[in-house]
Amino acid sequence: MTFEQLKQHVKTIINTNIKTVDERLLQICELLEMHIDYYNWVGFYFRNGNEEELILGPYIGEATDHTVIPFGKGICGQVAVSNQNFVVPDVTAQDNYIACSITVKAEIVIPIFVNGENVGQIDIDSNTPDPFTEADEQFLEFVCNQVSTILK
């Protein structure tokens, strides 16, 4: 399935008001992991109120011990501080990387903004070295924009 086709599915999931926000986020995780071969772990992290830490939200993939990530720690923690996309073609080249699994080779993290404030992010791990392109980045920005519409 192409990114354009996936966008339509994401919109449909977002607009399904009979499901909770978490159910819709999990459905998006499942959609992306199922239809993009090199997306091996897909999940959301959200700011924990006024604390400078992220809390794991819905995800699909291997279980992780990283349910709380301090701002600045790892790729997700760095995105919480920088408010910028972070594409990591080779996780072994990152000093501040939190290893979730020895099979992970690359990671991409895109922030989610509500009213200009970074409230969370989508985090994707890949077992394929250097798989993420500008098209992935643009697609995930679209996903994050859609998700921002259902967050309070």
Side-chain angles (χ1 to χ4, degrees), residues 21-31 33 40-46 55-67 100 121-125:
V21 169
D22 279 356
E23 287 171 334
R24 288 183 271 176
L25 294 177
L26 181 59
Q27 212 175 347
I28 289 170
C29 293
E30 292 168 340
L31 176 75
E33 192 271 339
N40 303 112
W41 191 96
V42 179
F44 291 94
Y45 281 93
F46 293 100
I55 301 295
L56 180 62
Y59 73 94
I60 189 83
E62 261 186 63
T64 179
D65 293 333
H66 304 116
T67 57
C100 293
Q121 52 202 227
I122 191 168
D123 178 19
I124 314 247
D125 290 344

Side-chain angles (χ1 to χ4, degrees), residues 8 21-22 34 67 92 94 97 105 132 139 143 148:
Q8 294 309 310
V21 169
D22 279 356
M34 182 185 305
T67 57
T92 63
Q94 287 294 314
Y97 173 69
K105 305 287 187 246
F132 304 116
F139 169 67
V143 171
S148 74

Side-chain angles (χ1 to χ4, degrees), residues 30-83:
E30 292 168 340
L31 176 75
L32 301 186
E33 192 271 339
M34 182 185 305
H35 292 288
I36 303 173
D37 292 344
Y38 52 94
Y39 285 19
N40 303 112
W41 191 96
V42 179
F44 291 94
Y45 281 93
F46 293 100
R47 183 178 184 131
N48 183 16
N50 291 325
E51 299 296 318
E52 292 206 344
E53 64 186 15
L54 298 166
I55 301 295
L56 180 62
Y59 73 94
I60 189 83
E62 261 186 63
T64 179
D65 293 333
H66 304 116
T67 57
V68 178
I69 299 176
F71 278 23
K73 182 120 172 92
I75 308 307
C76 291
Q78 290 177 73
V79 168
V81 172
S82 73
N83 298 320

